[in-house]
Amino acid sequence: MFDIQEIRSQFSILNQQVNGKPLVYLDNAATSQKPNSVLEVWNQYYTEFNANVHRGIHTLSQLATEEMELSRRKIQKFINAEHDFEVIFTKGTTEGINLIAYILTQKLKKDDEIIISYLEHHSNIVPWQLLCERTGAKLRVIPIDENGVLQLDYLDEFLSEKTKVVSVNQVSNALGIVNPIEEIIAKTRANSDAYIVIDGAQSAPHFKIDVQALDCDFFVFSGHKMYAPMGTGILYGKQAVLEDLPPFHGGGEMIAVCSFDRTTYAGLPFKYEAGTPNVGGNIALGAAVDFINKVGHENIQNHENALLQYAQKHLLEIEGLKVYGENANRTGVVSFNLIGMGISSDVGMILDKMGVAVRTGHHCTQPIMDFFDIAGTVRASFAVYNTFEEIDLLVEGVKKAQRMLS
Ligand SMILES: Cc1ncc(COP(=O)(O)O)c(CN[C@@H]2CONC2=O)c1O
């Protein structure tokens, strides 16, 4: 049974006014709000068993270690990883992708190729450009059509023995377009020995993830977009792949034996978890997984897709409003502009005065904006706690913005 009011009651932050109007929070692709259960776990850690983990001999340290490793096992099940040690705690998607790009340096050489797509977030573009600078490898980009849909014929053309990395997002943060990653992975496996990286920042909050079924080498996502605190994230890596690659950061936790002559490294996951981890955040990430599992992926997807359809239907009733990726398979996001009426931030500011929080601008996807020859879009993005009444307030606000900007 999906009870929206019961769900909303778990998010105290939603019960407030902004500029004298009820808050309508529709910027969930940037970061989601956190349920009381996640905040309580965070608070409990810091008030009852805050301690450093893994090497402490005392009770609080052992408690903190047990809770963090329990969280790791929850996340393992959440993404259906074969082993919990394939789940690496990071501070988010950006760190995860940079880690992968860094540890692959020794695997690439001049004229090797890295394939990404036009729909990528800057966090899945720049690390690969830096890797190309370090190695002399070349970047190849799968283009999109006028609806924002990837043109996979180019992938067929690009794939070769030179292809060493294919890295794409499962869902575009700018447009909400769901990419056919199963097809991309199958083509890549059939035509290259490339490492396959999936950016799941905008899919993990909405979809059931199964990394074994996907057969990707890496899968990364951020905790703060899926009801967990900021500064949390996960990098999944296949055991055989991670064991073959060098460490990322050096320091405590990641060594087996350290001497001035030679240092050997810890096994997984600790080889990739140098230094003191974000213990409280990582435990709270496990509580966020519990929240998602309790609501249920089917309920989340059904509700968010209904919100998306409702929002798109009523936004498109506004004369002069364009939705980007209107006819594509999308989730969680509607990205639009009032054509010829100011810039996206003008609309965003007017909406804010009405208590409606959306994101405007390029969304760290400047290539997509260049493709559509625009500076940015107005992006409304949904979470499980949003309501149809909130969509009505969004649409009313956009109509008001249109009147003001005409
Ligand atoms: C698809 C995608 N990849 C990577 C990132 C980077 O994630 P972290 O910032 O957590 O490392 C984001 C962030 N999404 C941005 C953040 O704000 N609004 C957005 O759409 C993203 O949407």
Side-chain angles (χ1 to χ4, degrees):
M1 171 63 183
F2 181 76
D3 180 345
I4 185 68
Q5 291 312 325
E6 193 282 324
I7 286 174
R8 285 179 68 87
S9 71
Q10 298 180 50
F11 293 82
S12 312
I13 192 171
L14 298 176
N15 308 319
Q16 65 176 293
Q17 299 233 321
V18 167
N19 299 319
K21 300 281 187 357
L23 169 64
V24 176
Y25 185 78
L26 295 172
D27 193 21
N28 295 285
T31 197
S32 71
Q33 301 304 342
K34 322 308 171 186
N36 297 328
S37 57
V38 166
L39 300 175
E40 283 155 17
V41 162
W42 168 284
N43 188 56
Q44 184 191 18
Y45 167 70
Y46 282 107
T47 54
E48 295 181 22
F49 56 100
N50 172 52
N52 213 325
V53 288
H54 293 139
R55 292 178 307 287
I57 189 67
H58 61 82
T59 302
L60 290 191
S61 175
Q62 287 164 9
L63 257 177
T65 301
E66 284 163 19
E67 287 302 317
M68 195 173 93
E69 293 310 316
L70 171 62
S71 181
R72 194 190 306 271
R73 291 192 294 277
K74 287 179 183 177
I75 296 156
Q76 173 204 349
K77 290 180 180 58
F78 184 66
I79 62 174
N80 194 34
E82 188 176 1
H83 307 291
D84 63 350
F85 53 73
E86 295 175 312
V87 173
I88 311 293
F89 286 116
T90 66
K91 65 180 181 194
T93 306
T94 301
E95 183 183 46
I97 297 174
N98 277 278
L99 186 155
I100 297 163
Y102 181 83
I103 64 177
L104 287 178
T105 301
Q106 65 181 9
K107 295 288 186 179
L108 272 75
K109 65 185 183 303
K110 185 168 169 25
D111 297 332
D112 281 345
E113 295 182 350
I114 298 168
I115 299 174
I116 60 172
S117 92
Y118 231 98
L119 289 176
E120 302 313 318
H121 182 279
H122 296 162
S123 297
N124 200 24
I125 298 172
V126 180
W128 305 115
Q129 291 174 317
L130 293 172
L131 180 56
C132 288
E133 285 171 22
R134 288 196 297 271
T135 60
K138 302 277 185 292
L139 200 60
R140 306 201 75 174
V141 185
I142 304 168
I144 51 178
D145 66 17
E146 69 288 347
N147 217 358
V149 175
L150 291 182
Q151 298 185 62
L152 288 192
D153 291 352
Y154 284 86
L155 177 61
D156 294 328
E157 191 186 303
F158 292 168
L159 285 169
S160 75
E161 70 288 345
K162 286 185 177 179
T163 311
K164 292 293 180 272
V165 180
V166 173
S167 188
V168 292
N169 63 43
Q170 186 167 17
V171 176
S172 156
N173 65 303
L175 307 181
I177 288 179
V178 181
N179 293 314
I181 59 167
E182 293 81 357
E183 185 180 357
I184 292 170
I185 293 168
K187 285 176 182 286
T188 303
R189 289 281 184 241
N191 297 287
S192 78
D193 59 3
Y195 291 97
I196 299 173
V197 184
I198 301 299
D199 170 351
Q202 298 295 344
S203 55
H206 307 293
F207 292 169
K208 177 71 187 122
I209 305 298
D210 186 334
V211 292
Q212 293 186 74
L214 285 174
D215 183 28
C216 52
D217 296 301
F218 300 99
F219 189 97
V220 292
F221 58 94
S222 301
H224 70 91
K225 298 178 190 294
M226 46 172 277
Y227 311 107
M230 290 199 173
T232 61
I234 294 297
L235 180 162
Y236 157 80
K238 271 185 181 173
Q239 176 184 4
V241 171
L242 289 175
E243 286 180 344
D244 176 50
L245 291 169
F248 177 43
H249 287 160
E253 201 67 54
M254 57 76 71
I255 59 102
V257 177
C258 177
S259 75
F260 291 119
D261 301 328
R262 182 169 175 268
T263 290
T264 55
Y265 306 124
L268 297 177
F270 308 116
K271 178 168 87 168
Y272 292 107
E273 293 184 355
T276 296
N278 177 2
V279 180
N282 293 342
I283 294 171
L285 178 52
V289 165
D290 290 340
F291 168 76
I292 291 173
N293 288 338
K294 189 172 177 199
V295 175
H297 279 101
E298 193 176 341
N299 284 329
I300 292 171
Q301 273 193 269
N302 290 342
H303 181 62
E304 291 178 352
N305 287 340
L307 289 173
L308 175 58
Q309 301 311 323
Y310 184 81
Q312 177 154 313
K313 174 178 184 295
H314 292 286
L315 285 169
L316 286 173
E317 288 166 355
I318 300 173
E319 188 74 25
L321 184 141
K322 175 180 174 56
V323 170
Y324 298 91
E326 176 186 342
N327 301 314
N329 174 23
R330 298 194 343 266
T331 191
V333 165
V334 58
S335 226
F336 60 91
N337 276 321
L338 289 170
I339 301 305
M341 290 189 187
I343 56 176
S344 59
S345 55
D346 296 332
V347 177
M349 283 186 285
I350 293 167
L351 288 173
D352 178 53
K353 290 283 178 262
M354 300 176 68
V356 180
V358 294
R359 177 79 35 147
T360 62
H362 58 65
H363 314 297
C364 297
T365 61
Q366 287 176 317
I368 298 176
M369 304 301 137
D370 295 345
F371 175 83
F372 286 108
D373 195 21
I374 53 178
T377 70
V378 181
R379 182 189 71 184
S381 50
F382 311 111
V384 69
Y385 41 67
N386 290 127
T387 65
F388 294 99
E389 294 75 19
E390 290 184 315
I391 305 293
D392 292 338
L393 290 170
L394 166 70
V395 173
E396 191 185 312
V398 174
K399 287 177 179 173
K400 179 174 180 182
Q402 186 176 53
R403 290 193 298 273
M404 291 175 70
L405 296 168
S406 296

